[in-house]
Amino acid sequence: MNEIYIPLLLSLIAGISTVIGSLLIFIKIKRIGEFITFSLSFSLGIMFLISMFDLLPSSLPVLLNKYGYFYGIIICILTFMLGYLSIDKINKKIENNNNKSSLYKIGVLSMISLMLHNFPEGIAVFISAYTNISIGIKLCIAIMLHNIPEGIAISIPLYYSGVGKKRTILYTLISGLTEPLGALLTYLLFKNFINNIFLAFVLLFVAGLMISLSINDMLKEAMSYNKTKYIFIGIILSCFVTALALFI
């Protein structure tokens, strides 16, 4: 049993680092429009780039090798589109049940997407650290680097839509805790069932979710503030942070 403590601890550290991003809500911002525009642009850049350069490259080859190129491509497209279109379904459900602002909806959608994203990340950190502790530590640090801006993606829209600080941090924490939850469930329940094929489907589905959210919701909301310069600054900075996280 002792051999699982460090892998679980690493997955917990990687997960709760999401809360660090939410600490920005305690900073008094004078130019709120510019700050929200920058935060949304930075967050959407992180989500889009991680999907394109991490989730998709990690999942596509696995499914293509398993099912062949013809059926593999069809399966990949269907799985990706299922994730992509799910955001629209979730969005409509939120609209039907809440008369909330678009910022609130973006915060909730970000939380749902990132919970699904963090779950397989927790599995990855646990399995890596369980088999090779040095690789697990390296992966933990890389995930921390992009979990912090993911915390921004959840907390800033929620807080500036009127959600209180305590609830905002709580929602961000819940999202982050799905990472150690994924690690724990892997060990207790699914260690005999989870394999590369299962993880590839999950990652491909999540990539669809995150790309849809970043393009159709977050970018649209950022552009509504008419602060184009801050959109470019946020996206450019997200490129540097993503590169650092992916190539560490």
Side-chain angles (χ1 to χ4, degrees), residues 28-42:
K28 290 186 177 180
I29 305 297
K30 294 181 179 179
R31 302 169 71 177
I32 294 176
E34 287 86 347
F35 179 67
I36 293 175
T37 301
F38 167 79
S39 298
L40 288 172
S41 302
F42 178 68

Side-chain angles (χ1 to χ4, degrees), residues 71-82:
Y71 291 110
I73 289 173
I74 295 174
I75 290 171
C76 289
I77 291 173
L78 290 176
T79 306
F80 177 87
M81 291 306 300
L82 182 62

Side-chain angles (χ1 to χ4, degrees), residues 59-125:
S59 54
L60 289 175
V62 175
L63 296 178
L64 292 177
N65 288 335
K66 173 66 177 179
Y67 299 105
Y69 281 95
F70 180 75
Y71 291 110
I73 289 173
I74 295 174
I75 290 171
C76 289
I77 291 173
L78 290 176
T79 306
F80 177 87
M81 291 306 300
L82 182 62
Y84 190 91
L85 296 175
S86 293
I87 282 291
D88 187 54
K89 295 292 183 182
I90 299 170
N91 210 340
K92 288 179 180 177
K93 194 165 186 65
I94 295 172
E95 288 176 351
N96 291 336
N97 294 330
N98 296 280
N99 188 23
K100 298 286 187 178
S101 68
S102 55
L103 271 179
Y104 176 85
K105 287 180 284 187
I106 287 173
V108 172
L109 290 171
S110 296
M111 184 180 74
I112 293 171
S113 299
L114 294 172
M115 284 176 69
L116 294 172
H117 176 207
N118 289 340
F119 189 86
E121 274 188 355
I123 296 172
V125 172

Side-chain angles (χ1 to χ4, degrees), residues 1 13 21 48 57 74 80 82 84 120 135 138 140 152 174 181-182 184 191 194 197 219 235 240 247:
M1 189 71 177
I13 292 171
F48 184 85
I74 295 174
F80 177 87
L82 182 62
Y84 190 91
I135 294 176
K138 181 179 178 181
C140 174
I152 297 173
I174 290 172
L181 177 64
L184 187 61
K191 61 181 178 181
I194 291 177
I197 305 298
L219 181 59
I235 291 175
F240 287 106
F247 297 110

